[in-house]
């Protein structure tokens, strides 16, 4: 009976997925959409009127298998040598846009009324793009060069790596509601040790072991050992508190260094495709029509936040990477499809009750919408570019020319002897400071209630006093990274001014104006703005009432600094005239 039940489950899932995928293939849509839709139809149509019941335990086990094989395959596709040669730009884009998308998701989640942990989950969910969907869309895009398309795929791979790291970081936060502080600290330490051991030892020794097996045994034995190691590391990853996806991905990365990589990949690929389809079908089966309809507005909000955020952050990444405006625009459009990791992270959040099943349905709906919308809007990408070049809107062109000319001038100054490294080091410090600030605020807002209870208990004060003390602690925690941020920004400005004076060129007044800001005052203004935007018990009435005051103070201070700078400039001109 169990054998027949298994066969019925497999038949219904795979035939349904095949039919849906064929339909979407005719519409030039990626097969993932067909898999997800098949799961939705199975649970909402076949299990309803047709009274077909699938075994949930069988499907869960097969979906876990599919998740492991999917992540194992993604890890094996990663070419570390290619990353060393061509991955610098892709890494720049990923490093810039992943934290920004996390921040956008976190702030948006707070505005949508989500809990801090759910807001973190939203940021993690929307941070990446779908490699499979992007690859399909690029096949239809005739005007994107092969080199640009390969770079885009490399960017999505770097996003996958970044989301593995994000998943590792948010796992303890998701579990925070079900464990104490000491247990969570132990979990974090176990995760850190696990990641260090696998990356430091696995990448160095595992390829040699597999090469020896491949040289001395058959390819079948090599395949069995490799897949066994994949499941073994996935199990260990689960035992230390991580998702099994992380372990499978890391094993795929370590095996990608073996000289038998291509043979292994060719044998693993069919297995991966089969079980990957079941994984996506199982995701679709978690979506109930009633919950999806009730949360359709949330799904639309998520997809709007994702697509706008992704466009802006990828554009910034390509802009900083010194690409022209056509590449910035077209590549930003091409990455607007939510990635496979969205389902993995959402599943982990659902399992730990960080998000509700309704929110999970909204995430799946948003993913489907983005996957359907991207192929449609990508067809008009270059029509928009051509229209802008033909019409030349005055405001858009003037802002664009100013931005790209300023960037080109800065890059030209970076070539000047003696300042390139100074600016580069300051930029690294700015980035590290911003990431530290985001991490500090996530920690404070996620554990605000716990910290507040500890303060009230320790000092024996009421909650209002305790909250003021908590805000003071937050302000002190933000002080150091913000101080580094402000000093680094000033250091960049100073280096650019020195380089422009050496080259006989003149920088915009804003570069001089930034140097006039008092460092400590500027630090506290930034910290106060950060704390106001972060969610707190006063709600957004407090934000709306206080933020304009802070902005007004910042504006007054800026005007004062500008006046002070102008006065100093006039005195200097007067002294030069006297001489």
């Amino acid at each position: 009976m169990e054998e027949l039940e298994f066969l019925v489950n497999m038949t219904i899932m795979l035939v349904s997925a095949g039919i849906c995928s064929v339909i979407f293939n005719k519409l030039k849509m990626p097969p993932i959409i067909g898999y997800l839709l098949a799961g939705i139809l199975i649970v909402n149509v076949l299990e309803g009127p047709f009274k077909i019941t699938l075994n949930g335990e069988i499907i869960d086990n097969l979906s876990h298998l599919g998740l492991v094989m999917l992540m194992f395959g993604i890890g094996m596709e990663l070419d570390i040598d290619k990353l060393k040669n061509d991955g610098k730009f892709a890494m720049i884009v990923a490093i810039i846009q992943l934290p920004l998308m996390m921040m956008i998701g976190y702030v948006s989640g707070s505005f949508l009324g989500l809990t801090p942990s759910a807001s973190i989950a939203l940021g993690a969910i929307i941070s990446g793009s779908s490699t499979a969907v992007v690859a399909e869309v690029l096949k239809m895009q005739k005007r994107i060069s092969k080199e640009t398309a390969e770079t885009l795929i490399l960017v999505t791979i770097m996003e996958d790596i970044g989301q593995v790291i994000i998943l590792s970081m948010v796992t303890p936060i998701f579990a925070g509601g079900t464990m104490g502080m000491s247990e969570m600290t132990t979990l974090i330490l176990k995760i850190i040790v696990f990641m260090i051991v696998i990356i430091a030892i696995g990448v160095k020794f595992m390829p040699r072991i597999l090469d020896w097996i491949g040289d001395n045994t058959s390819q079948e034995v090599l395949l069995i050992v490799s897949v066994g190691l994949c499941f073994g590391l996935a199990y260990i990853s689960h035992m230390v508190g991580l998702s099994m996806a992380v372990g499978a991905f890391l094993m795929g990365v370590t095996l990608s260094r073996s000289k038998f990589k291509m043979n292994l990949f060719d044998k693993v690929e069919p297995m991966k495709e089969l079980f990957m389809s079941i994984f996506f079908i199982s995701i679709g089966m978690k979506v109930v029509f009633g919950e999806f309809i009730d949360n359709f507005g949330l799904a639309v909000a998520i997809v709007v936040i994702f697509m706008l955020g992704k466009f802006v952050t990828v554009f910034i990444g390509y802009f900083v990477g010194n690409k022209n405006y056509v590449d910035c625009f077209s590549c930003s459009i091409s990455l607007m499809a939510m990635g496979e990791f969205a389902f993995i992270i959402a599943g982990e959040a659902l399992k730990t009750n960080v998000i509700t099943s309704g929110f999970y349905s909204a995430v799946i709906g948003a993913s489907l919408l983005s996957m359907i919308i991207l192929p449609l809007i990508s067809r008009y990408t270059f029509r928009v570019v051509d229209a802008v070049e033909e019409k030349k809107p005055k405001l858009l062109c003037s802002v664009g020319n100013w931005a790209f000319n300023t960037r080109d001038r800065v890059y030209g100054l970076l070539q000047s002897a003696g300042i390139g490294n100074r600016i580069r080091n300051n930029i690294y410090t700015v980035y590290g400071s911003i990431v530290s600030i985001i991490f500090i605020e996530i920690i404070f807002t996620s554990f605000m209630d716990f910290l507040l209870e500890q303060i009230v208990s320790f000092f024996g004060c009421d909650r209002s006093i305790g909250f003021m003390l908590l805000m003071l602690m937050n302000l002190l925690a933000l002080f150091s990274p913000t101080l580094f941020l402000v000093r680094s920004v000033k250091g960049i400005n100073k280096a650019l001014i020195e380089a422009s004076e050496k080259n006989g060129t003149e920088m915009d007044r804003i570069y001089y104006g930034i140097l006039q800001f008092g460092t400590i005052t500027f630090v506290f203004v930034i910290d106060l703005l950060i704390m106001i935007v972060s969610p707190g018990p006063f709600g957004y009435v407090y934000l709306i009432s206080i933020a304009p005051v802070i902005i007004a103070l910042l504006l007054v201070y800026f005007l004062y600094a500008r006046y002070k700078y102008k006065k100093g400039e006039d005195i200097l001109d007067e002294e030069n005239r006297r001489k």
Side-chain angles (χ1 to χ4, degrees):
M1 190 66 180
E2 290 181 358
E3 294 85 352
L4 291 176
E5 190 176 22
F6 176 79
L7 290 174
V8 169
N9 278 255
M10 291 294 289
T11 301
I12 292 172
M13 286 192 295
L14 296 180
V15 170
S16 302
I19 294 171
C20 292
S21 299
V22 168
I23 294 171
F24 278 99
N25 183 60
K26 291 293 183 183
L27 298 172
K28 296 184 177 180
M29 297 284 184
I32 291 176
I33 301 177
Y35 303 153
L36 291 167
L37 185 61
I40 294 172
L41 292 176
I42 287 171
V43 78
N44 292 280
V45 177
L46 297 182
E47 286 194 341
F50 291 92
K51 305 297 181 184
I52 295 175
T53 303
L54 301 185
N55 189 308
E57 185 178 351
I58 291 175
I59 294 170
D60 283 342
N61 290 333
L62 290 173
S63 69
H64 292 327
L65 187 62
L67 173 60
V68 169
M69 294 306 298
L70 170 65
M71 297 311 302
F72 184 53
I74 291 175
M76 288 186 68
E77 288 175 340
L78 184 63
D79 190 335
I80 295 178
D81 293 327
K82 187 178 175 91
L83 284 179
K84 289 178 181 176
N85 299 327
D86 306 322
K88 185 177 180 181
F89 170 77
M91 193 177 296
I92 289 172
V93 176
I95 285 174
I96 288 173
Q97 67 101 16
L98 281 172
L100 289 176
M101 286 300 290
M102 280 288 294
M103 184 174 65
I104 289 170
Y106 182 76
V107 173
S108 300
S110 302
F111 275 102
L112 291 172
L114 303 179
T115 64
S117 296
S119 299
I120 293 169
L122 178 60
I125 286 166
I126 68 172
S127 59
S129 302
S130 171
T131 305
V133 176
V134 169
E136 289 294 323
V137 169
L138 290 174
K139 290 177 184 177
M140 302 186 305
Q141 193 57 267
K142 305 298 182 185
R143 286 177 60 178
I144 290 182
S145 66
K146 183 181 177 182
E147 182 182 351
T148 303
E150 288 177 350
T151 303
L152 268 171
I153 296 299
L154 203 55
V155 169
T156 64
I157 292 171
M158 294 305 301
E159 287 182 348
D160 288 342
I161 296 172
Q163 286 193 292
V164 169
I165 297 170
I166 290 171
L167 183 60
S168 304
M169 292 172 64
V170 300
T171 299
I173 296 175
F174 289 169
T178 58
M179 61 173 58
M181 185 62 73
S182 60
E183 292 174 305
M184 193 172 65
T185 303
T186 303
L187 175 61
I188 293 172
L189 290 175
K190 282 198 297 184
I191 289 171
I192 292 171
V193 171
F194 173 77
M195 298 286 285
I196 292 173
V197 169
I198 296 304
I199 293 172
I201 298 177
V203 173
K204 186 173 183 179
F205 293 106
M206 198 58 65
R208 297 179 184 178
I209 296 172
L210 288 175
D211 289 346
W212 182 87
I213 293 173
D215 289 331
N216 293 278
T217 61
S218 65
Q219 294 298 302
E220 288 75 15
V221 173
L222 179 63
L223 173 65
I224 291 169
V225 172
S226 300
V227 175
L229 289 171
C230 165
F231 283 104
L233 193 58
Y235 172 76
I236 296 172
S237 175
H238 177 73
M239 291 301 292
V240 300
L242 284 169
S243 166
M244 64 180 69
V246 177
F249 176 82
L250 290 175
M251 182 53 69
V253 172
T254 61
L255 299 190
S256 70
R257 302 287 292 167
S258 171
K259 65 182 180 181
F260 295 102
K261 169 189 171 181
M262 293 312 300
N263 291 337
L264 278 173
F265 186 79
D266 291 339
K267 292 180 182 296
V268 168
E269 184 70 7
M271 298 168 57
K272 186 196 85 171
E273 292 294 333
L274 173 62
F275 291 109
M276 181 186 74
S277 66
I278 297 174
F279 169 68
F280 287 114
I281 292 167
S282 69
I283 288 171
M285 291 179 67
K286 290 185 174 72
V287 178
V288 179
F289 273 147
E291 289 185 346
F292 176 71
I293 292 170
D294 292 341
N295 293 277
F296 182 74
L298 179 59
V300 172
I302 291 172
V303 79
V304 169
I305 291 166
F306 166 76
M307 299 189 86
L308 289 178
K310 181 64 70 170
F311 177 82
V312 171
T313 56
V314 174
F315 194 100
I316 292 171
Y318 269 73
F319 176 82
V320 172
N322 206 23
K323 297 294 183 180
N324 61 54
Y325 77 94
V326 175
D327 282 346
C328 290
F329 183 80
S330 60
C331 293
S332 300
I333 294 289
S334 299
L335 289 177
M336 292 196 303
M338 287 177 69
E340 294 82 3
F341 262 99
F343 310 126
I344 298 169
I345 295 171
E348 290 294 316
L350 180 64
K351 191 163 61 177
T352 52
N353 296 318
V354 169
I355 62 174
T356 63
S357 58
F359 185 89
Y360 183 86
S361 297
V363 169
I364 305 302
S367 300
L368 279 170
L369 286 173
S370 70
M371 291 176 183
I372 293 169
I373 291 170
L374 177 59
L376 299 176
I377 63 174
S378 66
R379 298 171 187 173
Y380 300 95
T381 299
F382 286 97
R383 294 187 191 180
V384 173
V385 172
D386 294 339
V388 169
E389 289 184 342
E390 183 182 347
K391 303 286 185 182
K392 289 186 170 51
K394 190 172 181 180
L395 178 62
L396 183 62
C397 287
S398 60
V399 172
N401 289 336
W402 174 82
F404 281 90
N405 289 337
T406 301
R407 183 201 63 185
D408 293 340
R409 193 192 319 170
V410 169
Y411 271 89
L413 292 172
L414 281 172
Q415 305 303 319
S416 301
I419 77 153
N421 288 333
R422 282 173 57 194
I423 292 180
R424 196 172 293 110
N425 291 336
N426 277 311
I427 290 173
Y428 292 153
T429 305
V430 167
Y431 180 78
S433 300
I434 292 172
V435 172
S436 299
I437 288 168
I438 293 172
F439 183 74
I440 287 169
E441 282 309 287
I442 287 175
I443 293 296
F444 265 91
T445 53
S446 299
F447 301 104
M448 181 178 290
D449 291 336
F450 173 81
L451 293 172
L452 185 57
E453 292 298 330
Q454 296 298 313
I455 291 171
V456 170
S457 174
F458 183 80
F459 290 101
C461 57
D462 58 33
R463 289 182 65 86
S464 60
I465 300 297
F467 177 74
M468 296 303 295
L469 292 173
L470 180 61
M471 291 296 98
L472 181 60
M473 288 172 57
N474 193 355
L475 192 65
L476 292 174
L478 288 171
F479 181 81
S480 291
T482 312
L483 180 62
F484 281 115
L485 172 67
V486 172
R487 285 178 174 173
S488 298
V489 169
K490 286 191 170 187
I492 292 170
N493 275 268
K494 192 173 181 180
L496 290 173
I497 291 169
E498 289 176 7
S500 67
E501 290 174 351
K502 286 181 182 178
N503 294 340
T505 59
E506 186 177 349
M507 299 294 289
D508 294 333
R509 287 184 177 273
I510 189 171
Y511 291 93
Y512 296 91
I514 289 174
L515 295 179
Q516 303 302 314
F517 280 99
T519 300
I520 302 300
T521 306
F522 201 15
V523 165
F524 277 109
V525 170
I526 292 174
D527 287 347
L528 286 171
L529 284 172
I530 291 169
M531 290 171 61
I532 289 170
V533 172
S534 299
F538 289 128
Y540 292 103
V541 174
Y542 179 70
L543 167 63
I544 294 169
S545 61
I546 298 298
V549 177
I550 300 297
I551 293 170
L553 289 173
L554 186 61
L555 181 61
V556 168
Y557 188 77
F558 177 77
L559 292 174
Y560 170 73
R562 186 178 178 185
Y563 164 76
K564 190 176 177 183
Y565 166 74
K566 187 70 172 63
K567 187 176 180 181
E569 199 176 46
D570 291 340
I571 293 171
L572 186 62
D573 290 341
E574 182 65 27
E575 290 177 352
N576 290 334
R577 277 196 294 270
R578 288 177 181 176
K579 290 178 181 178

